[in-house]
Amino acid sequence: LPYPKYLQEEGWPPLMYLKESKRAVNSIRSLVEEEDEEDDVEKVSWSGEPVGIYLLDCRWSVHDDVILLWQDYVSDWTPEETVKRMQQGKVYSLEKFRSLQDKLLLLDEAVNAHDGNVITAVLIYLKKSLSKEILFRELITREIALRHYIHYLKEIGEQKLLLMQYRDHLNVRDENKRRDFLKNCLSFPFSPDDATHVQDHYTLLERQIIIEANDKQVESSGQADIFKKYPRKASILNMPIITTLYYSCFYHYGESDGTFSSPANIRKTFRISDKQFLLTCLGARAKLKAWFDVDALFTTKNWLGYTKKRSPIGFHRIVDILQKNNAPVQVLQDYVNLVEDVEQKISLAQKYKCHDVIINTYRDLKDRQQLIVYRGKVEKGSSEYRKIEEILSNSVRRSFP
């Protein structure tokens, strides 16, 4: 989650997870060479100031695992109306209260509402917008607000100390000692979100140590063909979660769910979304030219035994990823055919020279003119040319305009 700028400037929170969230996004994009689209992978916003369930000048919405921020400025809400909206969890704005008088009226309304979260949210806005001298001068005459402010500063101070202690793991070079250090950090009274991040960090490193030791031994013994054909270029230790998943999909695909190195196990343990998992796995298996595995990623079977290809992301994007990994034309054609939009399908087929897709699409559309035009674009005497000739000359031609 994004944290207030004045805390970020002081190096808080120094969680590896936050740093790795950015690296994870970058790593999966580079692995599958994808463009930045809305439903790509989990994106992290690094602006805004969350305050409990309240936000300054923004509201939150979760869509496809992506956190979105929308500015929503208003000009006609009174301090009383604004406080009520805050209590009701509705979108609101504090930035409109610019004069000292308006800010103090807002604070008084928050205190009168007897809502600790609202009071704290307003106090943080005042901390941001007023000088320390003016803020303390006004709080001195407002005992309840002052008590909330002192409590808030105390909580922030305690969390900062805990996170500074956690940050010391960066100074521990030995991975086993670092793992033990992180294990000790699990007993710290972190906030719920930070506690989850630290737990994930510990669990991830613990697994990486096990996977690294096993793979290093297997690689040196020459027992596995995958390591012979694709020698490891770097250790998996201290890599981001998504990089670890990619490594697992590359070297440990097909392992049972019970093993730590299994892609399915990593997916479940670290709560990786369907789209993130699919893109990561697709990138790894396509890199290995494992087209059967790629096909299995999208194949589903109903209760009657019929199979169908489904995907949480558009098939046009699957085609682009496969092409960038030098998939053969036959593989590309299978996925170009799954693109629902006809114009987009034809465009992709032309771009990647999937002649059969273009010919079959024009045939199904009964577009004789386009078939004639396309016949002039393929090599005379080729299988594609003969196929068009056959379509134009057989009995189906009567249904053409």
Side-chain angles (χ1 to χ4, degrees), residues 24-43 64-66 241-243 245-247 249-250 253 263 267 272-288 293-294 297-298 310-322 324-325:
V25 172
N26 292 333
S27 74
I28 181 58
R29 285 184 185 140
S30 64
L31 293 173
V32 299
E33 299 181 348
E34 266 294 80
E35 296 297 326
D36 182 11
E37 295 187 25
E38 180 181 348
D39 62 345
D40 190 359
V41 294
E42 185 173 4
K43 301 179 180 66
D64 291 338
D65 302 322
V66 180
I241 290 172
I242 299 304
T243 304
L245 176 61
Y246 181 89
Y247 177 96
C249 291
F250 196 95
Y253 197 73
R267 176 189 191 179
I272 297 172
S273 69
D274 290 345
K275 292 179 180 179
Q276 188 90 66
F277 181 81
L278 180 75
L279 286 169
T280 309
C281 194
L282 175 61
R285 303 317 293 171
K287 190 75 173 177
L288 288 168
D293 292 339
V294 168
L297 282 173
F298 304 100
R310 297 180 183 277
S311 171
I313 59 177
F315 279 110
H316 65 286
R317 297 181 58 205
I318 304 299
V319 171
D320 287 338
I321 294 172
L322 292 175
K324 289 171 184 175
N325 283 281

Side-chain angles (χ1 to χ4, degrees), residues 17 42 196-197 200 241 266-273:
Y17 191 92
E42 185 173 4
T196 299
H197 298 336
D200 281 346
I241 290 172
I266 292 174
R267 176 189 191 179
K268 181 179 179 181
T269 301
F270 298 103
R271 307 168 299 283
I272 297 172
S273 69

Side-chain angles (χ1 to χ4, degrees), residues 175-187:
E175 60 269 15
N176 290 298
K177 291 181 179 178
R178 180 180 284 199
R179 175 200 58 201
D180 295 340
F181 181 91
L182 291 172
K183 187 175 183 179
N184 290 332
C185 289
L186 296 178
S187 62

Side-chain angles (χ1 to χ4, degrees), residues 291 295 309 315 318-319 322 328-339 345 354 357:
W291 309 123
D295 195 61
K309 285 189 171 64
F315 279 110
I318 304 299
V319 171
L322 292 175
V329 173
Q330 186 54 54
V331 172
L332 287 177
Q333 286 189 158
D334 289 344
Y335 289 90
V336 172
N337 261 324
L338 294 171
V339 176
K345 179 192 293 188
C354 299
V357 174

Side-chain angles (χ1 to χ4, degrees), residues 368-384:
R368 179 180 176 83
Q369 187 59 39
Q370 286 296 338
L371 278 171
I372 294 173
V373 170
Y374 198 70
R375 181 179 59 181
K377 296 180 180 180
V378 299
E379 184 179 351
K380 192 170 184 178
S382 65
S383 60
E384 294 84 10

